[in-house]
Amino acid sequence: MAETSTVARPYAKAAFELAQAKEKLAAWSDMLELAAQVAANDDMQSSILGNPRLSDEEKADAIIDVCGKALDEEGRNLVRTLAQRNRLKALPDIAEQFELLKAQQEKRMDVTIVSAFALDSKQEDKLASALAKRLNREISITTQVDSALLGGVILRAGDTVIDGSVRGRLTRLRDALSV
């Protein structure tokens, strides 16, 4: 996974810069999302992308055909370029990294909040407001419940994880005492 992520980075950056220059961020986001879903499909992986008998051009054409008119000429060129370099399997990572660049540009961030109990809308709003102020970004929250936390919350924002759970505090206390 880390390897395809490294491979995907320059392609995502190039696609982002092109989309930004042509003011087509939303269109590129949609194109990459669809192409990534097609490339990640199990049937596509096994019968097309993993088939050594098919040429790079045939593999690219298969993805382009499934995507249909959702891919413009530049999107089709990207798929062909990836096929020529045997990088079609990196499409999901390219789409993911493109979205990260887009979110950074738009100063927004997706945050996952894992709590021991379901949060009400007032609590979610309070957390979103505090995070927006601290991170200077528009915040989009997704919540999950994990009763194993005992209490508190875990916040995941990009690569940052803030563990304010009771389970996390007990683990840190145990580690400190065992040293």
Side-chain angles (χ1 to χ4, degrees):
M1 181 81 167
E3 184 178 316
T4 56
S5 159
T6 302
V7 165
R9 191 170 295 117
Y11 294 104
K13 186 176 180 195
F16 178 78
E17 289 171 356
L18 176 66
Q20 190 176 29
K22 296 201 172 200
E23 297 181 2
K24 290 182 170 182
L25 284 175
W28 267 90
S29 182
D30 293 342
M31 283 192 296
L32 285 172
E33 181 181 346
L34 177 61
Q37 288 173 354
V38 171
N41 178 279
D42 290 337
D43 292 335
M44 181 65 74
Q45 288 277 330
S46 60
S47 62
I48 305 293
L49 301 182
N51 187 341
R53 293 183 183 146
L54 294 177
S55 69
D56 294 338
E57 187 177 321
E58 290 171 318
K59 292 176 184 180
D61 287 343
I63 290 178
I64 291 168
D65 288 345
V66 173
C67 292
K69 293 182 180 184
L71 288 181
D72 66 11
E73 188 59 36
E74 292 163 335
R76 291 189 293 271
N77 286 341
L78 174 64
V79 171
R80 287 185 187 105
T81 300
L82 292 172
Q84 290 169 355
R85 292 177 172 83
N86 197 25
R87 303 281 196 236
L88 285 172
K89 291 183 179 183
L91 261 168
D93 286 319
I94 292 169
E96 182 180 331
Q97 290 189 25
F98 181 92
E99 288 304 316
L100 289 173
L101 291 167
K102 184 177 172 226
Q104 187 176 18
Q105 169 72 22
E106 295 172 347
K107 288 197 172 242
R108 76 181 156 74
M109 181 174 274
D110 295 328
V111 176
T112 302
I113 299 174
V114 182
S115 62
F117 306 98
L119 300 175
D120 62 34
S121 61
K122 190 175 183 180
Q123 291 169 317
E124 284 182 28
D125 291 344
K126 186 175 180 181
L127 281 169
S129 175
L131 286 169
K133 186 176 180 181
R134 180 163 187 202
L135 300 172
N136 192 28
R137 300 202 181 281
E138 179 184 322
I139 302 296
S140 174
I141 289 185
T142 305
T143 59
Q144 299 172 352
V145 175
D146 180 358
S147 58
L149 295 180
L150 304 174
V153 297
I154 297 175
L155 301 172
R156 290 188 181 99
D159 292 340
T160 304
V161 177
I162 301 170
D163 188 349
S165 68
V166 173
R167 182 181 68 189
R169 290 178 190 167
L170 289 172
T171 300
R172 288 189 295 277
L173 180 61
R174 180 195 68 210
D175 292 346
L177 292 174
S178 66
V179 172

